[in-house]
Amino acid sequence: GDVEGAIAMFQQAANQQPDNPDYLYEYGSMLIDMDRVDEALPIAEQMIQAAPQDPRGYALKARALMWSSPAEAIQSAILGIDLDPNYAPLYAASGVAYTNLGRWQEGLREGRRAIDLDSNNRFALFAYQFPLTYTGRYQEAIDYLERAIALNPNITAPYFYLAQLYRLPGVDQPRMAVATYNRILELEPDNAKAYLRLCETFANVDRADFRLAQPYCD
């Protein structure tokens, strides 16, 4: 569960062998898992330069860009698919990028392709929930997020998306949202974002209890 400690070890390994694609890929992937995307992008570029025939470098770059530059992320994914058309994370990142461009059907297609290729890939499961959520398929999105969390319950990012789904009007399970945010705080007691989301959850329920909400905001 010491993700930051693991990142520090991978950073040391990558510094010692800066052309080793295995170390670079794991290091960059964990940075993205911890929302340190700006740090992951140069690692992806470094990996592509060190191992231009390794599709993982293009997948890493696509993941780093799928939010900020979705069109560029899709281009990177295509380059990786040309090298290995069966590497699931390339399609998973492409699916999120298409979703962010408002191209829902392409997002669903690419996300489904990733799951079909590797049904136990944590990133593929996590990524597929985005096009599902944006097309209103909330329960399916919840199911895939729960599968992703089960594969590594110590990464907090999927919990936030799961809790947000529980808060949606079409789902309306605030108690499950609260339980999910509390799980994040068990993993990271100083996670300010989790406290904020708890405050918002208590403040926005039908019978809002601001006395419960205020301490979390504080």
Side-chain angles (χ1 to χ4, degrees):
D2 183 3
V3 181
E4 291 294 344
I7 287 176
M9 293 296 102
F10 274 119
Q11 182 179 25
Q12 287 188 35
N15 287 341
Q16 290 175 12
Q17 295 188 20
D19 293 331
N20 187 315
D22 297 328
Y23 297 165
L24 293 171
Y25 182 72
E26 295 297 338
Y27 178 38
S29 296
M30 294 196 76
L31 287 172
I32 293 174
D33 284 338
M34 298 302 288
D35 290 328
R36 293 164 60 179
V37 178
D38 290 344
E39 298 173 60
L41 183 55
I43 301 299
E45 297 283 11
Q46 180 181 345
M47 182 176 172
I48 291 171
Q49 186 174 0
Q53 298 305 310
D54 192 326
R56 294 177 299 173
Y58 299 94
L60 193 62
K61 183 176 180 179
R63 286 185 63 186
L65 292 171
M66 63 188 186
W67 294 108
S68 61
S69 301
E72 191 176 351
I74 292 168
Q75 292 174 356
S76 181
I78 290 171
L79 290 172
I81 290 168
D82 286 341
L83 295 170
D84 184 353
N86 295 313
Y87 191 55
L90 291 162
Y91 297 94
S94 180
V96 175
Y98 275 119
T99 300
N100 285 327
L101 290 173
R103 296 167 63 174
W104 319 121
Q105 293 308 311
E106 287 99 328
L108 287 167
R109 182 197 66 209
E110 296 290 280
R112 184 67 252 177
R113 174 67 171 153
I115 300 294
D116 289 342
L117 286 169
D118 189 350
S119 60
N120 287 316
N121 184 283
R122 182 172 56 84
F123 171 60
L125 295 167
F126 171 64
Y128 191 39
Q129 61 92 16
F130 289 103
L132 289 172
T133 297
Y134 278 95
T135 52
R137 295 162 61 176
Y138 301 139
Q139 188 55 56
E140 288 179 80
I142 288 171
D143 292 342
Y144 280 103
L145 275 173
E146 289 179 341
R147 287 173 60 184
I149 289 170
L151 289 170
N152 189 339
N154 296 312
I155 302 295
T156 59
Y159 290 100
F160 281 104
Y161 291 99
L162 179 61
Q164 182 62 31
L165 278 164
Y166 284 133
R167 292 172 57 187
L168 289 176
V171 181
D172 196 23
Q173 296 187 48
R175 290 185 179 180
M176 290 297 293
V178 169
T180 304
Y181 290 130
N182 282 325
R183 174 58 182 152
I184 294 170
L185 291 172
E186 289 176 9
L187 295 169
E188 298 180 7
D190 295 325
N191 192 306
K193 184 179 176 181
Y195 284 113
L196 171 63
R197 295 292 183 262
L198 277 167
C199 179
E200 292 172 345
T201 302
F202 281 114
N204 291 328
V205 293
D206 288 338
R207 296 181 179 180
D209 192 333
F210 296 105
R211 290 175 301 175
L212 281 175
Q214 185 66 43
Y216 291 110
C217 280
D218 292 338

